[in-house]
């Protein structure tokens, strides 16, 4: 009924940049907060960044100054701009969105690999 699809992951060298996209589709009345999370091998999933439906961002300390979250409501899409990437940023990145006031939806994830 509702689907989130991430794109933009891949392999990049340390110091490089990637932009992830998360597009929502389906039976959507309203998209509330959206966010990006990541899970590295052997680690728990952690919050990277969130953004309200009005565009107020919140960035995790670990990526502050390097990552930026944004959204384009007309396209039902959120973005994560990742600059100055480090090997420790390697993870599967997941998009989450609050749909129709109360329902959380997750994308299937996109792999980001940063080589040194």
């Amino acid at each position: 009924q509702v689907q989130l699809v991430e794109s933009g992951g891949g392999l990049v060298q340390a110091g490089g940049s990637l932009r992830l996209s998360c597009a929502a589709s389906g039976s959507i009345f309203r998209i509330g907060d959206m966010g990006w999370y990541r899970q590295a091998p052997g680690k728990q999933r952690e919050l990277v960044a969130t953004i309200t439906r009005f565009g107020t961002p919140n960035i995790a300390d670990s990526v502050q100054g390097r990552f930026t979250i944004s959204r384009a409501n007309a396209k039902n899409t959120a973005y994560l701009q990742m600059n100055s990437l480090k090997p420790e940023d390697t993870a599967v990145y997941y998009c989450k969105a609050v749909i129709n006031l109360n329902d959380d939806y997750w994308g299937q994830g996109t792999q980001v690999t940063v080589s040194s």
Side-chain angles (χ1 to χ4, degrees):
Q1 185 171 357
V2 174
Q3 185 178 24
L4 301 180
V5 179
E6 302 102 332
S7 61
L11 176 64
V12 66
Q13 295 184 45
S17 298
L18 287 172
R19 189 180 75 157
L20 306 183
S21 298
C22 172
S25 62
S27 300
I28 299 171
F29 172 75
R30 177 181 298 163
I31 304 177
D33 290 2
M34 303 184 75
W36 290 94
Y37 298 73
R38 67 186 183 186
Q39 188 167 19
K43 304 290 186 179
Q44 297 295 316
R45 189 172 298 186
E46 64 174 339
L47 185 148
V48 177
T50 61
I51 186 167
T52 72
R53 70 187 185 102
F54 302 108
T56 301
N58 189 26
I59 309 294
D61 290 343
S62 60
V63 300
Q64 184 70 239
R66 299 188 297 119
F67 291 11
T68 302
I69 189 170
S70 61
R71 64 192 292 167
N73 290 343
K75 299 179 179 179
N76 289 339
T77 301
Y79 305 94
L80 184 69
Q81 178 67 47
M82 304 185 293
N83 299 324
S84 301
L85 283 161
K86 304 174 180 180
E88 53 262 43
D89 295 319
T90 296
V92 177
Y93 283 71
Y94 298 91
C95 178
K96 189 183 81 172
V98 181
I99 306 296
N100 299 335
L101 300 181
N102 289 318
D103 299 325
D104 290 354
Y105 287 85
W106 290 85
Q108 65 182 3
T110 185
Q111 177 70 49
V112 172
T113 302
V114 184
S115 65
S116 59

